[in-house]
Each structure stands twice: as C-alpha cells, then as structure tokens.
Amino acid sequence: MKILLTTTSFQDTPGKHHDLLNSQNWDIDYLRGPVDESILLPIIHKYDGVICGDDHYTREVIKAGSKGNLKVLSKYGVGLDRIDLDAAKDFGVIVTNVPGVNQVSVAEHVLALLFSFQKNIHLQFNTVQNKSWKRLIGNEIEGSTIGIIGLGSVGKEVAKKSLALGMTVCCFDIYRDELFLSQFDKIFFTENIDDIYEKSDIISLHIPHTSQTDKLINKEVLFSKMKKNPIIINTSRGKLIDTDSLIDAIEKDQIKGYLTDVLAEEPINENEKLIGIKNIIITPHVGSRTFQSVQRQGTYSINNLIKNLIKC
C-alpha cells in the first residue's frame, strides 16, 4: 500500500503513533499540509490512502484519486469541511475522522485564551520583557456568563470546566442531549441562539463551518443582537466570523475582545486583517496540538486507515 501523510502535528510530535505507523508494511510519502488542490491533483492517484489534516480535497482531487488507487481519506482531526463529502460518496472514496479525542485539549485552550485575555497575561509578559513593572488591572472570570454555541464533544467539555470555575453556563445546539443535560442540571440550554447573544459575557464557538454557519457572527449579530462588550472565542473555524464586521465592532467598543485559534485562511497570509488590532489574540491553530491529543488522534487515524483499507 502506498500512503500519503500530510498532517504536521502528527509528523512533528514523537510518540506511539509513529511506532504504529512504522509497524505497517506501507510505502509512505510525507508532505507538510495544509496541501492545496494544485499540489494534490497530479499525485493523488498514486496513493491507496491518505492521513490528512486540513488539505483541500475538492471534487476534482477526489475524482482524480478515484481514477487511480485512492480508496480512503483518514482525517487526522474532526472537521471535514475541506473534504467534498458528496464527491467522496459519488466516487466511492471512504472518509473517516476522529471524533471525541481532542475535546480536553481544545477546551483547555479556550480557557487558556480567556485567562490570558482577562488577566492581561500576553500584555504583562511583554512589559516585563522590556524591564517595565507597569501593572494592569485584570478581571475575574468567576461569576461571568459563558454562552457555548455547539454542544458537541468540545462544547460539553468547555461547559463542564466553566461550571467548575464558577461561571454561569448557557448552551445552544440544534440537538438537545438529554443525558448530558440531566447530569449537569445547572446548565441553561436553549434552542434559540439569540438567547446566547443576549445573555453572554463570553461566547465560545464550537460548530463546523457549513453554508448555514458561514459568517454566523456578522454585522447584525454583533451590533443588534449581542449584549454590550462580550468576549468572543473561536477554536472552530475562521469562516464562522465576518472579519470586517468583527473589526468594526472591536474598534467601536461593541466587542471587548476576539480570541481565536483559527483564521479564515490558513496558514496565515501577509494580508491577514486581524493582525495588529488591539484586543485580538490569535494562536496558530494549536488548540488540539498537545502531546496527549496528538498521540490519540494519530493512533485513531491510523487504525481508521487500517480498518478501511482491509475492507477494500
């Protein structure tokens, strides 16, 4: 079997996932993703399977692969928005992902961003490096209301940790998980997303990017629906945000801060509009990039590939 591996966190992190990969009798090529359509098109037909990150598997790429050897796309991660699932179905390419393995890491990253912003950690680090002892006033998060949009694995983990930190937790999802809500009966659950906008001091996004959620946080939401000065945290997808409207809201003090681990275009390009704006913190899509999470995701994605190549 000839296999392509493109996810950089897998490649850059030592661990038992490498032992499992190397124990397979596979001919493995490596690229550093995210890999664009133009690079994949001329080579994808050579591979029986791919362990992929956020590469662009368009209809044309999948069609080209299916004319050759391509049988399985094993996503290292959860989000499948960059894989044309309809095309995969049409051309008989199996697509898998690894749900339920990175929620602790991502939820901790949400809280790390929040603590850093509210306690001015990022600013105070820089002042001390410049040998200044200028001290800023921070804010406690206990007593705040956090609104969680999307109550999947990560959203649930954020909810549990937020409750433990003394926050009021409000959640929105199109699906009501009765078992989870019965176990954590202090959570306020709503089927009306406007409740989140109206009540929340902090809004954390945990939904996929689809045609329905594209620019979910837009001008109308920012200026007409949200309470004054919320903090928005995004560890899901950059395209959930209307960037121009967000910048306008930050500059007009409608939004207190935007803390994000994702951008609309990744890796970051030199024209990124969010760079250099006060009260915006950006990390380079590292929410799930912990040693523990990488090992779990890597092992899971290899096992998915093994299982489905056998079927083929």
Side-chain angles (χ1 to χ4, degrees):
M1 294 287 181
K2 192 168 182 63
I3 305 298
L4 176 65
L5 190 150
T6 63
T7 166
T8 56
S9 56
F10 184 117
Q11 295 178 51
D12 295 344
T13 308
K16 61 184 180 182
H17 54 299
H18 284 282
D19 297 333
L20 178 60
L21 181 66
N22 294 331
S23 70
Q24 308 306 310
N25 187 27
W26 291 340
D27 177 11
I28 305 170
D29 287 342
Y30 298 86
L31 289 174
R32 296 189 66 81
V35 183
D36 288 332
E37 178 188 56
S38 60
I39 296 173
L40 289 168
L41 272 173
I43 63 171
I44 193 64
H45 66 280
K46 299 189 295 183
Y47 299 102
D48 297 278
V50 183
I51 298 175
C52 57
D54 289 327
D55 311 324
H56 293 239
Y57 286 92
T58 61
R59 172 169 286 271
E60 289 305 311
V61 170
I62 293 171
K63 180 180 178 181
S66 70
K67 289 183 176 180
N69 298 326
L70 186 64
K71 304 173 184 70
V72 183
L73 293 174
S74 178
K75 173 67 188 289
Y76 167 94
V78 178
L80 297 172
D81 53 299
R82 297 199 178 187
I83 299 175
D84 188 327
L85 298 178
D86 290 335
K89 183 178 180 180
D90 291 344
F91 295 109
V93 175
I94 297 169
V95 178
T96 66
N97 65 345
V98 291
V101 295
N102 67 4
Q103 66 266 29
V104 171
S105 295
V106 177
E108 288 181 353
H109 197 76
V110 169
L111 294 173
L113 287 169
L114 181 58
F115 274 120
S116 295
F117 183 76
Q118 289 291 67
K119 299 287 187 176
N120 298 308
I121 301 298
H122 58 306
L123 302 176
Q124 299 282 218
F125 173 82
N126 289 327
T127 59
V128 174
Q129 293 302 304
N130 292 324
K131 299 183 179 179
S132 167
W133 206 245
K134 180 180 179 181
R135 294 181 290 176
L136 304 176
I137 300 296
N139 290 282
E140 297 175 355
I141 66 169
E142 183 175 340
S144 301
T145 296
I146 184 169
I148 297 168
I149 298 178
L151 200 57
S153 296
V154 178
K156 288 183 174 73
E157 197 67 32
V158 173
K160 291 189 291 184
K161 289 176 171 17
S162 298
L163 284 174
L165 290 166
M167 287 189 271
T168 298
V169 178
C170 302
C171 296
F172 163 83
D173 200 291
I174 58 174
Y175 168 73
R176 184 184 180 94
D177 189 329
E178 295 289 359
L179 177 60
F180 177 78
L181 293 172
S182 68
Q183 293 171 334
F184 298 92
D185 57 5
K186 291 185 178 180
I187 292 174
F188 169 76
F189 181 85
T190 180
E191 295 178 358
N192 183 354
I193 197 170
D194 287 350
D195 289 336
I196 301 296
Y197 299 144
E198 293 167 5
K199 297 176 184 295
S200 304
D201 305 302
I202 303 149
I203 295 173
S204 192
L205 303 176
H206 301 286
I207 53 176
H209 175 250
T210 66
S211 58
Q212 288 75 36
T213 62
D214 186 65
K215 296 184 179 179
L216 176 76
I217 306 300
N218 52 46
K219 184 175 182 179
E220 180 186 4
V221 168
L222 290 164
F223 287 97
S224 300
K225 295 186 176 183
M226 285 186 182
K227 68 182 293 185
K228 186 74 171 176
N229 273 338
I231 298 166
I232 300 174
I233 307 174
N234 187 4
T235 54
S236 293
R237 286 293 186 262
K239 290 183 179 180
L240 298 176
I241 304 289
D242 179 345
T243 300
D244 290 335
S245 296
L246 178 81
I247 292 171
D248 189 30
I250 288 273
E251 292 176 344
K252 291 178 178 175
D253 295 325
Q254 175 65 24
I255 302 299
K256 183 177 181 181
Y258 179 56
L259 321 178
T260 185
D261 188 46
V262 289
L263 295 174
E265 298 295 332
E266 296 180 15
I268 193 169
N269 63 59
E270 61 181 18
N271 298 317
E272 175 55 54
K273 294 179 180 180
L274 295 175
I275 290 295
I277 296 177
K278 184 180 178 182
N279 294 335
I280 292 181
I281 297 178
I282 304 170
T283 54
H285 208 150
V286 292
S288 65
R289 202 178 176 100
T290 62
F291 178 75
Q292 295 82 2
S293 180
V294 169
Q295 282 203 130
R296 287 193 298 266
Q297 291 185 88
T299 301
Y300 202 154
S301 61
I302 295 167
N303 284 327
N304 279 343
L305 190 54
I306 292 169
K307 178 173 65 178
N308 285 287
L309 284 174
I310 290 172
K311 289 180 182 179
C312 298

